[in-house]
Amino acid sequence: MSTALTSPRAAALARVFRVVAIAEACSWIGLLIGMAFKYLVVFDDVGVRVFGPIHGALFVAYVVVALVTARVFRWSAVTTVLALLASIPPAATIWFERRAVRRGELG
């Protein structure tokens, strides 16, 4: 195993990836709840106004962190594309993070 994969910086990057993946999924769920309230319950967009920008920022953060993580941990192109595609369906980033841990792709 390469020293880049066992260094404290790589371990910190793996933790950051996990945190951002979980936060992105939670913000997706929050945005969906906000949209449900906007269109089905109270017809007020406060939930979307709150969770929209949060989710947008976390989405961008996830994509950037996923690309950096892919480079540091030398993910294959398939794994990298899968990580990026996981940002689209709600909560799929949690699934991908768990998959990466199971397969040893996060060190």
Side-chain angles (χ1 to χ4, degrees):
M1 188 177 276
S2 168
T3 56
L5 300 179
T6 58
S7 73
R9 285 185 178 173
L13 179 60
R15 282 191 299 277
V16 168
F17 179 79
R18 290 177 184 136
V19 167
V20 172
I22 292 167
E24 194 275 343
C26 291
S27 72
W28 229 134
I29 293 167
L31 182 58
L32 290 175
I33 291 169
M35 290 170 63
F37 272 83
K38 178 180 179 178
Y39 294 110
L40 302 174
V41 180
V42 294
F43 305 102
D44 183 7
D45 68 345
V46 69
V48 175
R49 282 186 294 165
V50 170
F51 283 104
I54 292 170
H55 175 67
L58 287 169
F59 173 83
V60 171
Y62 175 81
V63 168
V64 170
V65 171
L67 290 172
V68 171
T69 304
R71 183 176 173 104
V72 169
F73 286 98
R74 297 182 180 98
W75 288 351
S76 69
V78 171
T79 301
T80 303
V81 168
L82 192 57
L84 296 175
L85 288 175
S87 66
I88 298 170
T93 54
I94 293 175
W95 166 81
F96 178 81
E97 183 272 330
R98 301 287 159 90
R99 176 192 177 273
V101 168
R102 275 193 320 272
R103 299 177 115 208
E105 295 168 335
L106 288 174

XYZ file of all heavy atoms in Angstrom:
815
model
N 0.847 -1.188 0.000
C 0.000 0.000 0.000
C 0.882 1.237 0.000
O 1.891 1.306 0.677
C -0.921 -0.024 1.228
C -1.962 1.062 1.216
S -3.088 0.974 2.592
C -4.232 -0.214 1.970
N 0.503 2.218 -0.744
C 1.273 3.439 -0.882
C 1.220 4.265 0.399
O 0.261 4.208 1.161
C 0.697 4.248 -2.040
O 1.229 5.549 -2.041
N 2.280 5.057 0.629
C 2.291 5.918 1.805
C 1.212 6.985 1.720
O 0.715 7.449 2.726
C 3.670 6.595 1.977
O 3.975 7.306 0.779
C 4.733 5.578 2.288
N 0.831 7.365 0.486
C -0.238 8.356 0.333
C -1.560 7.819 0.853
O -2.398 8.572 1.316
C -0.387 8.743 -1.138
N -1.741 6.499 0.807
C -3.003 5.913 1.251
C -3.048 5.692 2.756
O -4.115 5.490 3.308
C -3.233 4.587 0.523
C -3.303 4.675 -0.996
C -3.513 3.295 -1.589
C -4.386 5.613 -1.449
N -1.898 5.696 3.423
C -1.881 5.439 4.857
C -1.473 6.672 5.660
O -1.373 6.595 6.869
C -0.909 4.291 5.181
O 0.399 4.645 4.714
C -1.365 2.992 4.543
N -1.244 7.775 5.008
C -0.814 8.975 5.705
C -1.960 9.566 6.526
O -3.130 9.329 6.232
C -0.303 10.010 4.705
O -1.382 10.574 3.991
N -1.600 10.358 7.541
C -2.651 11.038 8.316
C -3.516 11.957 7.455
O -4.707 12.093 7.704
C -1.865 11.839 9.353
C -0.557 11.142 9.472
C -0.275 10.568 8.111
N -2.922 12.556 6.426
C -3.709 13.423 5.544
C -4.741 12.617 4.762
O -5.859 13.067 4.549
C -2.806 14.178 4.577
C -2.073 15.302 5.227
C -1.302 16.094 4.224
N -0.649 17.213 4.884
C 0.194 18.010 4.295
N 0.498 17.821 3.025
N 0.748 18.999 4.955
N -4.364 11.422 4.310
C -5.312 10.571 3.591
C -6.440 10.135 4.517
O -7.609 10.107 4.115
C -4.602 9.359 2.997
N -6.100 9.806 5.763
C -7.133 9.423 6.734
C -8.076 10.593 7.002
O -9.298 10.416 7.099
C -6.487 8.951 8.032
N -7.522 11.795 7.088
C -8.364 12.983 7.297
C -9.253 13.222 6.078
O -10.434 13.569 6.234
C -7.490 14.201 7.562
N -8.710 13.018 4.884
C -9.513 13.177 3.672
C -10.659 12.169 3.636
O -11.779 12.505 3.258
C -8.639 13.031 2.425
C -9.359 13.142 1.091
C -10.052 14.498 0.939
C -8.395 12.889 -0.055
N -10.397 10.944 4.054
C -11.444 9.924 4.097
C -12.556 10.354 5.059
O -13.739 10.194 4.761
C -10.869 8.573 4.506
N -12.174 10.918 6.207
C -13.181 11.404 7.163
C -13.981 12.562 6.575
O -15.197 12.625 6.716
C -12.521 11.824 8.482
C -12.151 10.659 9.373
C -11.750 11.106 10.768
N -10.576 11.980 10.777
C -9.314 11.568 10.749
N -9.046 10.292 10.699
N -8.322 12.439 10.766
N -13.297 13.487 5.897
C -13.988 14.615 5.266
C -14.958 14.096 4.212
O -16.104 14.557 4.136
C -12.977 15.610 4.658
C -13.667 16.616 3.744
C -12.211 16.323 5.759
N -14.521 13.132 3.405
C -15.403 12.562 2.390
C -16.654 11.984 3.034
O -17.768 12.211 2.564
C -14.682 11.493 1.565
C -15.562 10.871 0.530
C -15.813 11.519 -0.661
C -16.184 9.652 0.756
C -16.660 10.966 -1.621
C -17.021 9.092 -0.181
C -17.261 9.751 -1.377
N -16.474 11.234 4.110
C -17.624 10.628 4.797
C -18.582 11.689 5.311
O -19.800 11.585 5.140
C -17.138 9.745 5.939
C -16.456 8.502 5.464
C -15.918 7.671 6.622
N -15.189 6.532 6.091
C -14.015 6.121 6.540
N -13.440 6.741 7.547
N -13.422 5.089 6.003
N -18.048 12.709 5.956
C -18.889 13.770 6.519
C -19.646 14.505 5.416
O -20.854 14.743 5.523
C -18.037 14.752 7.359
C -18.803 16.013 7.691
C -17.550 14.075 8.631
N -18.957 14.851 4.343
C -19.606 15.589 3.251
C -20.653 14.716 2.563
O -21.728 15.194 2.205
C -18.556 16.133 2.255
C -19.211 16.716 1.024
C -17.685 17.176 2.933
N -20.353 13.430 2.390
C -21.322 12.524 1.752
C -22.605 12.428 2.574
O -23.709 12.490 2.027
C -20.701 11.134 1.562
N -22.460 12.306 3.869
C -23.632 12.205 4.745
C -24.382 13.541 4.790
O -25.615 13.577 4.715
C -23.221 11.723 6.148
C -22.744 10.268 6.064
C -24.357 11.881 7.151
C -22.031 9.768 7.296
N -23.648 14.632 4.876
C -24.288 15.956 4.913
C -25.035 16.238 3.616
O -26.146 16.783 3.635
C -23.236 17.032 5.180
N -24.442 15.858 2.483
C -25.103 16.076 1.191
C -26.408 15.296 1.122
O -27.432 15.811 0.684
C -24.162 15.670 0.046
C -24.599 16.149 -1.326
C -25.589 15.247 -2.023
O -25.738 14.076 -1.631
O -26.250 15.712 -2.968
N -26.392 14.057 1.596
C -27.605 13.235 1.595
C -28.674 13.841 2.508
O -29.852 13.897 2.137
C -27.274 11.812 2.028
N -28.259 14.293 3.673
C -29.226 14.906 4.601
C -29.815 16.188 4.018
O -31.015 16.451 4.171
C -28.554 15.193 5.941
S -28.139 13.706 6.870
N -28.991 16.970 3.336
C -29.512 18.198 2.735
C -30.478 17.885 1.592
O -31.450 18.606 1.381
C -28.367 19.087 2.232
O -27.758 18.558 1.070
N -30.226 16.795 0.876
C -31.139 16.357 -0.183
C -32.498 16.025 0.420
O -33.551 16.435 -0.085
C -30.577 15.106 -0.852
C -30.510 15.076 -2.350
C -29.426 14.671 -3.070
C -31.524 15.381 -3.311
N -29.715 14.725 -4.415
C -30.992 15.157 -4.599
C -32.821 15.830 -3.216
C -31.721 15.363 -5.762
C -33.541 16.040 -4.384
C -32.989 15.800 -5.631
N -32.464 15.281 1.510
C -33.712 14.895 2.185
C -34.422 16.137 2.717
O -35.648 16.270 2.595
C -33.423 13.859 3.282
C -32.961 12.552 2.626
C -34.641 13.641 4.171
C -32.341 11.548 3.574
N -33.660 17.061 3.297
C -34.254 18.315 3.769
C -34.899 19.100 2.645
O -35.998 19.650 2.808
N -34.238 19.147 1.502
C -34.805 19.844 0.353
C -36.083 19.166 -0.129
O -37.069 19.836 -0.445
C -33.781 19.907 -0.783
C -34.207 20.648 -2.041
C -34.599 22.093 -1.734
C -33.088 20.611 -3.076
N -36.092 17.845 -0.152
C -37.313 17.124 -0.549
C -38.457 17.387 0.421
O -39.605 17.572 -0.003
C -37.035 15.629 -0.648
C -36.146 15.198 -1.816
C -35.855 13.707 -1.722
C -36.787 15.538 -3.136
N -38.163 17.440 1.701
C -39.192 17.752 2.697
C -39.686 19.190 2.483
O -40.892 19.458 2.523
C -38.662 17.539 4.128
C -38.442 16.042 4.385
C -39.613 18.136 5.165
C -37.680 15.729 5.652
N -38.754 20.105 2.242
C -39.140 21.493 1.962
C -40.024 21.594 0.744
O -41.003 22.356 0.723
N -39.712 20.815 -0.293
C -40.532 20.822 -1.503
C -41.913 20.225 -1.231
O -42.915 20.721 -1.755
C -39.827 20.056 -2.621
C -38.608 20.793 -3.154
S -37.587 19.810 -4.261
C -38.716 19.505 -5.595
N -41.978 19.193 -0.412
C -43.272 18.604 -0.068
C -44.139 19.623 0.666
O -45.333 19.756 0.370
C -43.077 17.357 0.787
N -43.535 20.345 1.602
C -44.296 21.376 2.303
C -44.721 22.487 1.353
O -45.841 22.985 1.438
C -43.483 21.947 3.467
C -43.658 21.178 4.738
C -42.932 20.028 4.975
C -44.577 21.585 5.686
C -43.102 19.303 6.132
C -44.761 20.875 6.856
C -44.022 19.721 7.081
N -43.840 22.854 0.436
C -44.166 23.934 -0.499
C -45.333 23.564 -1.401
O -46.240 24.376 -1.620
C -42.938 24.260 -1.359
C -43.212 25.332 -2.399
C -41.984 25.630 -3.233
C -42.310 26.685 -4.283
N -41.132 27.029 -5.075
N -45.321 22.362 -1.925
C -46.319 21.992 -2.932
C -47.523 21.217 -2.386
O -48.542 21.141 -3.058
C -45.657 21.192 -4.052
C -44.671 22.017 -4.833
C -43.316 21.778 -4.745
C -45.104 23.061 -5.642
C -42.399 22.540 -5.464
C -44.210 23.840 -6.358
C -42.858 23.577 -6.259
O -41.967 24.343 -6.959
N -47.407 20.638 -1.189
C -48.485 19.779 -0.699
C -49.112 20.216 0.621
O -50.256 19.877 0.884
C -47.975 18.344 -0.540
C -47.399 17.682 -1.797
C -46.806 16.330 -1.453
C -48.463 17.560 -2.866
N -48.374 20.939 1.449
C -48.872 21.187 2.802
C -49.238 22.652 3.016
O -50.415 22.978 3.159
C -47.848 20.713 3.853
C -48.351 20.954 5.270
C -47.522 19.236 3.672
N -48.254 23.502 3.071
C -48.524 24.896 3.438
C -48.385 25.873 2.270
O -48.688 27.049 2.421
C -47.607 25.360 4.596
C -47.914 24.609 5.863
C -46.155 25.246 4.222
N -47.922 25.401 1.144
C -47.753 26.237 -0.044
C -46.887 27.467 0.225
O -47.134 28.543 -0.271
C -49.119 26.631 -0.625
C -49.974 25.438 -0.902
C -51.007 25.086 -0.049
C -49.713 24.626 -1.999
C -51.787 23.964 -0.294
C -50.485 23.507 -2.254
C -51.522 23.171 -1.396
N -45.878 27.243 1.067
C -44.910 28.282 1.403
C -43.526 27.727 1.060
O -43.235 26.566 1.332
C -45.013 28.619 2.896
C -44.087 29.736 3.312
O -43.448 30.359 2.447
O -43.994 29.989 4.529
N -42.674 28.540 0.483
C -41.381 28.035 0.020
C -40.234 28.234 1.006
O -39.073 28.148 0.627
C -41.027 28.650 -1.332
C -40.746 30.134 -1.249
O -41.087 30.758 -0.234
O -40.161 30.657 -2.220
N -40.525 28.445 2.274
C -39.458 28.685 3.248
C -38.500 27.479 3.338
O -37.287 27.661 3.446
C -40.006 29.084 4.631
C -40.710 27.924 5.322
C -38.892 29.621 5.510
N -39.014 26.265 3.272
C -38.149 25.082 3.330
C -37.213 25.002 2.149
O -36.040 24.645 2.281
N -37.705 25.365 0.983
C -36.875 25.352 -0.221
C -35.848 26.481 -0.159
O -34.690 26.292 -0.534
C -37.754 25.463 -1.483
C -36.906 25.586 -2.737
C -38.684 24.265 -1.583
N -36.261 27.635 0.356
C -35.316 28.753 0.480
C -34.204 28.440 1.472
O -33.087 28.918 1.309
C -36.034 30.024 0.906
C -36.777 30.686 -0.246
C -37.357 32.002 0.165
N -38.400 31.716 1.167
C -38.935 32.615 1.968
N -38.530 33.848 1.929
N -39.881 32.286 2.813
N -34.501 27.648 2.494
C -33.485 27.285 3.478
C -32.609 26.156 2.945
O -31.378 26.261 2.929
C -34.143 26.872 4.816
C -33.121 26.260 5.763
C -34.816 28.067 5.464
N -33.235 25.062 2.532
C -32.461 23.879 2.147
C -31.876 23.949 0.736
O -30.897 23.270 0.445
C -33.305 22.610 2.296
C -33.425 22.169 3.708
C -34.600 22.376 4.414
C -32.367 21.544 4.350
C -34.712 21.972 5.727
C -32.465 21.142 5.664
C -33.642 21.353 6.362
N -32.436 24.762 -0.144
C -31.917 24.869 -1.503
C -30.458 25.296 -1.552
O -29.611 24.593 -2.120
N -30.117 26.447 -0.950
C -28.718 26.876 -0.969
C -27.789 25.942 -0.183
O -26.649 25.719 -0.581
C -28.750 28.261 -0.324
C -30.158 28.714 -0.432
C -31.007 27.479 -0.417
N -28.294 25.393 0.920
C -27.479 24.458 1.709
C -27.156 23.237 0.865
O -26.003 22.800 0.788
C -28.208 24.063 3.013
C -28.308 25.263 3.944
C -27.499 22.888 3.699
C -29.217 25.053 5.137
N -28.180 22.690 0.224
C -27.955 21.513 -0.614
C -27.045 21.845 -1.793
O -26.158 21.060 -2.140
C -29.273 20.933 -1.125
C -29.071 19.814 -2.086
N -28.517 18.607 -1.704
C -29.279 19.729 -3.415
C -28.421 17.825 -2.766
N -28.876 18.488 -3.822
N -27.235 22.993 -2.397
C -26.378 23.394 -3.515
C -24.914 23.455 -3.115
O -24.037 22.948 -3.826
N -24.640 24.072 -1.973
C -23.256 24.176 -1.499
C -22.679 22.799 -1.165
O -21.530 22.493 -1.505
C -23.195 25.086 -0.275
N -23.487 21.956 -0.513
C -22.998 20.618 -0.156
C -22.840 19.731 -1.391
O -21.940 18.888 -1.431
C -23.920 19.972 0.872
C -23.792 20.571 2.272
C -24.909 20.067 3.176
C -22.434 20.269 2.869
N -23.673 19.921 -2.394
C -23.524 19.181 -3.644
C -22.184 19.510 -4.297
O -21.429 18.619 -4.687
C -24.685 19.520 -4.592
C -24.523 18.936 -5.964
C -24.901 17.629 -6.216
C -23.989 19.681 -6.999
C -24.753 17.070 -7.486
C -23.834 19.142 -8.264
C -24.217 17.831 -8.509
N -21.888 20.802 -4.399
C -20.613 21.221 -4.992
C -19.445 20.713 -4.144
O -18.447 20.208 -4.681
C -20.562 22.752 -5.160
C -19.172 23.222 -5.575
C -21.602 23.213 -6.175
N -19.569 20.815 -2.826
C -18.509 20.325 -1.939
C -18.299 18.831 -2.129
O -17.157 18.358 -2.191
C -18.852 20.635 -0.483
N -19.390 18.072 -2.249
C -19.268 16.625 -2.447
C -18.537 16.312 -3.746
O -17.648 15.456 -3.771
C -20.647 15.950 -2.444
C -20.559 14.478 -2.773
C -20.210 13.557 -1.800
C -20.780 14.014 -4.068
C -20.094 12.204 -2.105
C -20.664 12.676 -4.383
C -20.321 11.771 -3.393
O -20.189 10.442 -3.695
N -18.886 16.993 -4.824
C -18.240 16.726 -6.117
C -16.741 17.027 -6.024
O -15.911 16.226 -6.458
C -18.917 17.541 -7.246
C -18.091 17.503 -8.523
C -20.318 17.012 -7.501
N -16.388 18.158 -5.430
C -14.971 18.530 -5.303
C -14.230 17.528 -4.417
O -13.159 17.027 -4.787
C -14.827 19.970 -4.762
C -13.391 20.277 -4.386
C -15.345 20.970 -5.775
N -14.804 17.208 -3.269
C -14.159 16.262 -2.345
C -14.075 14.874 -2.974
O -13.067 14.173 -2.814
C -14.889 16.235 -0.980
C -14.380 15.114 -0.097
C -14.727 17.572 -0.274
N -15.094 14.464 -3.714
C -15.056 13.158 -4.378
C -13.927 13.109 -5.404
O -13.211 12.100 -5.504
C -16.393 12.853 -5.041
N -13.748 14.170 -6.165
C -12.671 14.198 -7.165
C -11.288 14.181 -6.506
O -10.382 13.475 -6.958
C -12.830 15.414 -8.074
C -14.014 15.348 -9.035
C -14.198 16.687 -9.747
C -13.848 14.214 -10.035
N -11.131 14.937 -5.428
C -9.855 14.929 -4.706
C -9.612 13.556 -4.087
O -8.507 13.005 -4.177
C -9.831 16.034 -3.624
C -8.618 15.902 -2.722
C -9.870 17.409 -4.277
N -10.635 12.983 -3.492
C -10.515 11.657 -2.877
C -10.171 10.607 -3.926
O -9.331 9.734 -3.696
C -11.816 11.284 -2.141
O -12.106 12.305 -1.184
C -11.691 9.963 -1.411
N -10.807 10.693 -5.078
C -10.528 9.746 -6.156
C -9.064 9.814 -6.577
O -8.433 8.781 -6.817
C -11.435 10.033 -7.349
N -8.539 11.001 -6.624
C -7.128 11.154 -7.020
C -6.177 10.625 -5.942
O -5.245 9.887 -6.240
C -6.838 12.617 -7.319
C -5.441 12.848 -7.807
C -5.247 14.304 -8.182
N -3.852 14.541 -8.486
C -3.379 14.680 -9.708
N -4.198 14.613 -10.728
N -2.101 14.917 -9.898
N -6.435 11.000 -4.686
C -5.543 10.586 -3.599
C -5.584 9.073 -3.398
O -4.545 8.426 -3.212
C -5.903 11.331 -2.289
C -5.179 10.731 -1.094
C -5.579 12.818 -2.434
N -6.777 8.491 -3.445
C -6.911 7.052 -3.209
C -6.830 6.224 -4.495
O -7.039 5.021 -4.472
C -8.214 6.760 -2.461
C -8.147 7.154 -1.014
C -8.668 8.363 -0.590
C -7.543 6.334 -0.083
C -8.598 8.741 0.742
C -7.462 6.692 1.244
C -7.985 7.908 1.662
N -6.556 6.904 -5.606
C -6.355 6.244 -6.901
C -7.532 5.347 -7.286
O -7.360 4.178 -7.646
C -5.053 5.458 -6.893
C -3.842 6.334 -6.706
C -2.557 5.518 -6.750
N -1.392 6.364 -6.572
C -0.769 6.507 -5.405
N -1.176 5.871 -4.344
N 0.279 7.291 -5.312
N -8.733 5.922 -7.209
C -9.916 5.175 -7.611
C -9.888 4.949 -9.118
O -9.361 5.770 -9.870
C -11.186 5.944 -7.264
C -11.517 6.001 -5.814
C -10.931 5.310 -4.801
C -12.524 6.813 -5.200
N -11.508 5.635 -3.605
C -12.489 6.550 -3.821
C -13.444 7.723 -5.695
C -13.349 7.177 -2.928
C -14.296 8.345 -4.807
C -14.254 8.065 -3.433
N -10.504 3.882 -9.537
C -10.641 3.633 -10.973
C -11.634 4.651 -11.550
O -12.382 5.305 -10.815
C -11.170 2.219 -11.215
O -12.513 2.126 -10.774
N -11.641 4.748 -12.864
C -12.582 5.660 -13.525
C -14.027 5.266 -13.209
O -14.879 6.130 -12.989
C -12.342 5.664 -15.030
N -14.295 3.974 -13.163
C -15.655 3.500 -12.865
C -16.073 3.925 -11.461
O -17.187 4.424 -11.259
C -15.743 1.967 -13.039
C -17.071 1.442 -12.536
C -15.516 1.586 -14.485
N -15.201 3.750 -10.489
C -15.512 4.143 -9.112
C -15.713 5.649 -9.011
O -16.638 6.116 -8.337
C -14.401 3.678 -8.153
O -14.290 2.257 -8.238
C -14.689 4.071 -6.723
N -14.875 6.403 -9.698
C -14.997 7.862 -9.667
C -16.320 8.311 -10.276
O -17.027 9.144 -9.700
C -13.816 8.509 -10.413
O -12.597 8.071 -9.809
C -13.897 10.022 -10.366
N -16.678 7.754 -11.413
C -17.951 8.104 -12.050
C -19.117 7.696 -11.158
O -20.099 8.440 -11.007
C -18.056 7.471 -13.454
C -19.465 7.577 -14.009
C -17.054 8.119 -14.391
N -19.013 6.545 -10.531
C -20.066 6.090 -9.623
C -20.211 7.052 -8.444
O -21.332 7.374 -8.023
C -19.762 4.669 -9.143
C -20.870 3.927 -8.432
C -22.117 3.834 -9.295
C -20.385 2.538 -8.053
N -19.091 7.525 -7.909
C -19.133 8.500 -6.815
C -19.838 9.775 -7.256
O -20.661 10.330 -6.516
C -17.721 8.813 -6.331
N -19.535 10.221 -8.460
C -20.163 11.445 -8.960
C -21.642 11.235 -9.261
O -22.474 12.098 -8.954
C -19.415 11.942 -10.198
C -17.965 12.368 -9.952
C -17.283 12.717 -11.257
C -17.885 13.517 -8.969
N -21.978 10.096 -9.835
C -23.391 9.800 -10.109
C -24.201 9.656 -8.822
O -25.402 9.931 -8.813
C -23.515 8.537 -10.958
C -23.089 8.664 -12.414
C -23.145 7.299 -13.107
C -23.948 9.676 -13.144
N -23.553 9.232 -7.746
C -24.248 9.071 -6.464
C -24.750 10.400 -5.908
O -25.616 10.413 -5.030
C -23.331 8.393 -5.446
N -24.238 11.501 -6.424
C -24.691 12.804 -5.930
C -26.054 13.192 -6.492
O -26.667 14.136 -6.015
C -23.674 13.887 -6.298
O -23.617 14.062 -7.698
N -26.546 12.448 -7.465
C -27.803 12.833 -8.119
C -29.043 12.286 -7.398
O -29.916 13.068 -7.031
C -27.771 12.442 -9.612
C -26.626 13.199 -10.300
C -29.109 12.742 -10.286
C -26.317 12.740 -11.700
N -29.176 10.965 -7.173
C -30.366 10.500 -6.459
C -30.295 10.855 -4.963
O -29.201 10.882 -4.386
C -30.335 8.976 -6.634
C -29.295 8.692 -7.649
C -28.368 9.865 -7.672
N -31.431 11.128 -4.366
C -31.430 11.450 -2.933
C -30.805 10.334 -2.093
O -31.121 9.164 -2.264
C -32.916 11.617 -2.592
C -33.550 11.970 -3.898
C -32.767 11.228 -4.950
N -29.899 10.718 -1.219
C -29.248 9.849 -0.231
C -28.314 8.798 -0.830
O -27.798 7.966 -0.105
C -30.273 9.188 0.689
N -28.053 8.826 -2.113
C -27.159 7.830 -2.717
C -25.712 8.033 -2.311
O -24.914 7.093 -2.382
C -27.296 7.852 -4.235
N -25.347 9.227 -1.866
C -23.973 9.442 -1.424
C -23.664 8.612 -0.176
O -22.526 8.185 0.005
C -23.696 10.934 -1.154
O -24.658 11.439 -0.235
C -23.739 11.731 -2.447
N -24.669 8.380 0.654
C -24.464 7.509 1.821
C -24.204 6.090 1.354
O -23.293 5.421 1.849
C -25.666 7.565 2.783
C -25.758 8.944 3.420
C -25.551 6.478 3.855
C -26.967 9.147 4.292
N -24.998 5.628 0.387
C -24.768 4.292 -0.166
C -23.354 4.176 -0.724
O -22.658 3.205 -0.454
C -25.788 3.983 -1.266
C -25.393 2.788 -2.071
C -25.578 1.489 -1.737
C -24.688 2.795 -3.315
N -25.036 0.674 -2.718
C -24.477 1.454 -3.695
C -24.224 3.805 -4.147
C -23.829 1.102 -4.865
C -23.571 3.458 -5.312
C -23.382 2.120 -5.667
N -22.916 5.176 -1.500
C -21.587 5.098 -2.095
C -20.505 5.109 -1.022
O -19.524 4.365 -1.112
C -21.327 6.228 -3.100
C -19.944 6.135 -3.655
C -19.669 5.249 -4.682
C -18.908 6.865 -3.107
C -18.374 5.110 -5.166
C -17.619 6.734 -3.583
C -17.353 5.848 -4.616
N -20.658 5.948 -0.025
C -19.659 6.013 1.061
C -19.536 4.670 1.750
O -18.432 4.183 1.998
C -20.045 7.116 2.054
C -19.051 7.327 3.167
C -19.290 6.445 4.373
O -20.447 6.090 4.632
O -18.308 6.099 5.063
N -20.662 4.032 2.057
C -20.638 2.707 2.697
C -19.983 1.683 1.780
O -19.224 0.819 2.229
C -22.050 2.266 3.070
C -22.765 3.211 4.012
C -22.179 3.112 5.416
N -22.466 4.296 6.191
C -23.525 4.487 6.958
N -24.442 3.557 7.032
N -23.666 5.608 7.629
N -20.293 1.738 0.496
C -19.685 0.835 -0.487
C -18.165 1.034 -0.516
O -17.409 0.055 -0.539
C -20.277 1.117 -1.867
C -19.650 0.315 -2.990
C -20.106 0.874 -4.349
N -19.482 0.196 -5.460
C -18.305 0.524 -5.976
N -17.625 1.549 -5.463
N -17.797 -0.133 -6.990
N -17.735 2.283 -0.533
C -16.299 2.570 -0.579
C -15.591 2.051 0.678
O -14.487 1.515 0.587
C -16.075 4.067 -0.736
N -16.238 2.174 1.817
C -15.643 1.648 3.061
C -15.552 0.135 2.997
O -14.501 -0.450 3.313
C -16.469 2.100 4.297
C -16.045 1.345 5.541
C -16.339 3.603 4.495
N -16.640 -0.532 2.576
C -16.633 -1.999 2.479
C -15.542 -2.523 1.551
O -14.938 -3.543 1.808
C -17.988 -2.511 1.977
C -19.034 -2.706 3.025
C -20.224 -3.515 2.504
N -20.641 -3.211 1.155
C -21.510 -2.267 0.795
N -22.035 -1.495 1.728
N -21.835 -2.082 -0.465
N -15.304 -1.809 0.467
C -14.346 -2.255 -0.544
C -12.924 -1.765 -0.261
O -12.019 -1.992 -1.041
C -14.784 -1.798 -1.918
C -16.145 -2.372 -2.291
C -16.599 -1.852 -3.603
N -16.655 -3.019 -4.494
C -16.500 -2.969 -5.796
N -16.279 -1.836 -6.399
N -16.576 -4.066 -6.513
N -12.734 -1.024 0.837
C -11.413 -0.532 1.177
C -10.937 0.614 0.302
O -9.735 0.873 0.211
N -11.856 1.319 -0.318
C -11.489 2.399 -1.224
C -11.250 3.740 -0.515
O -10.881 4.718 -1.138
C -12.566 2.568 -2.306
C -12.650 1.362 -3.201
C -13.863 1.336 -4.108
O -14.883 1.964 -3.764
O -13.778 0.683 -5.151
N -11.450 3.752 0.790
C -11.161 4.941 1.579
C -10.035 4.687 2.568
O -9.955 5.306 3.622
C -12.418 5.419 2.315
C -13.488 6.051 1.448
C -14.731 6.350 2.253
C -12.964 7.308 0.786
N -9.153 3.798 2.221
C -7.999 3.515 3.062
C -8.252 2.475 4.110
O -9.282 1.878 4.230
